[in-house]
Every structure is written in C-alpha cells, then in structure tokens.
Amino acid sequence: MEQLVHSPKSLASAITRQRKAKKLSQTEAGSIFNIEQSTFSSIENGAPGTRLETLFRILAALDLEMVIRPKTVSTHKTEESW
Amino acid sequence: MEQLVHSPKSLASAITRQRKAKKLSQTEAGSIFNIEQSTFSSIENGAPGTRLETLFRILAALDLEMVIRPKTVSTHKTEESW
DNA sequence: ATAATTTATAGCTGTTTAGCCATAAATTGA
DNA sequence: TCAATTTATGGCTAAACAGCTATAAATTAT
C-alpha cells in the first residue's frame, strides 16, 4: 500500500487517502500537530508551495512515512495501481 | 538503498548523497531543472521551508523518487542503517 | 602552498505560505 | 428536504522562499 509520489498533486491524494482511512476530518487531523484546517485543505488540493516542515508534520499526524530512493526502472503497470 | 525520511534534515542527506553519487555539483544538478545553486545549498542544509514544487524538481533532477506509505512497525535497527 | 572548483551567505524583490478568523460552498446524515 | 459536518475560500499579517547576482568560505586538486 505504498504510493509513488512525483508531484504535489499525487502527494495530496496520498494524504487525503490516509486521512480518510483514519476517519479524520481535516480539522481533527490538523489539531494533532497544530495545522490549520485551511492549510490542510490547500495541501490536499496540491498546493505546490507547501513547506517541507508542514508536510512532515502532516505525515506524522497521519502515521505516514516518506521514503526517498533512486528511481526504479519499474514497469508503468505496477505503479499506476495507484 | 532507500532512505526513510522524517525531517528536512534527513531529506537533505538523501539528496546530497545522491547528488554526489552522480558526481554532480550543486550548480550542475541545478541547471538541469533551473534550480539556483543557492537554493540547492539551502535545501541540502535542511531548510525547513523548502517548497514541495522545488523538492520535486530536485528529485527529478537527481533521478530520485518519493514513496509515501503508512508507517511500518519496523525495528529501529534496520532503518538506522542510514 | 596556490589555484581552481564548489558550497555557503547575503542583499534585494516579488510571490506565497501558514496562522488566525470568518464564511461560503459542498458533502453527508437524519 | 433540512440540518449538521466538512471542506474550500478569502482577507490580513508576519515570515520565508526562490530567482538573481555577487562574493566569501571551504574543499579539492595540482
């Protein structure tokens, strides 16, 4: 269940997905690490200027982790499973 | 060879590592996607405010990819291999 | 040691964020 | 269909980024 992310947009979908999986509203999720609901909203809408610091707080709040690795030469099929 | 990243600092080290592995200077790496050398420098120093858009351009320039996934309950040993 | 390359800083500018707060719009439920 | 919850927007402010350009500091190579 890991998502390959290559843009603010796809990152947004990974975040939204996990938040909903945890049945949290933006307000609830945000309160965990003091993130404004409005900030949560813009991030989930793919705001390209979101700051790293904010992103990491969100990942922590949703129990998500980020992995960075050299690009794998995977077939496209596998990735677009989501 | 994948790095678990949980802060701008550790992200910075992943970027620096890959850039050096590719034997690129900050200026060279930056020229690929029009990123200022000074910007590259601040990111590699763990600037917490770096923007997502900038980050993704850098990852692309270095052939790195980002994966987001639910936190795994892995032992600490494995992760801190780096 | 000295030169050459690379990286860190700095100033200036325009743009954009995130925190607040409020509210409209959209979604969900009864 | 109406009410309640959730999400999207908007204004205001302080702070910070990234592009530019330049230069100091540090690292590497000869």
Side-chain angles (χ1 to χ4, degrees):
Chain A
M1 256 304 223
E2 60 177 42
Q3 179 165 357
L4 184 58
V5 162
H6 52 281
S7 69
K9 284 277 185 191
S10 51
L11 178 58
S13 71
I15 288 171
T16 300
R17 171 178 295 225
Q18 176 77 349
R19 180 176 60 76
K20 288 187 174 170
K22 303 199 93 179
K23 294 189 198 296
L24 294 172
S25 67
Q26 293 177 340
T27 303
E28 292 169 331
S31 69
I32 302 176
F33 276 64
N34 297 311
I35 299 158
E36 288 291 314
Q37 177 266 318
S38 57
T39 298
F40 231 106
S41 172
S42 80
I43 286 167
E44 289 194 15
N45 276 296
T50 302
R51 298 176 188 174
L52 279 188
E53 177 217 10
T54 306
L55 169 61
F56 284 115
R57 279 193 305 173
I58 285 183
L59 296 184
L62 297 177
D63 291 309
L64 284 173
E65 65 184 17
M66 176 193 296
V67 169
I68 297 294
R69 66 189 184 200
K71 227 177 237 173
T72 56
V73 276
S74 58
T75 65
H76 210 296
K77 287 269 162 55
T78 315
E79 289 157 30
E80 71 183 2
S81 59
W82 77 285
Chain B
M1 257 305 224
E2 59 177 42
Q3 179 164 357
L4 185 58
V5 162
H6 51 282
S7 70
K9 284 278 184 190
S10 52
L11 178 58
S13 71
I15 289 171
T16 300
R17 170 177 294 223
Q18 175 76 351
R19 179 176 61 74
K20 289 187 174 170
K22 304 199 93 178
K23 295 189 197 294
L24 292 173
S25 67
Q26 293 177 339
T27 303
E28 291 169 330
S31 69
I32 301 175
F33 276 65
N34 295 312
I35 298 158
E36 288 290 316
Q37 179 267 316
S38 56
T39 298
F40 230 106
S41 173
S42 80
I43 286 166
E44 290 194 16
N45 275 297
T50 302
R51 297 176 187 175
L52 280 188
E53 178 216 11
T54 306
L55 171 60
F56 284 115
R57 284 207 316 243
I58 286 183
L59 296 184
L62 297 177
D63 291 308
L64 285 173
E65 65 183 17
M66 177 193 295
V67 169
I68 298 294
R69 65 187 184 202
K71 228 177 239 172
T72 55
V73 275
S74 56
T75 65
H76 211 296
K77 287 267 163 54
T78 316
E79 288 157 29
E80 71 184 2
S81 61
W82 76 290

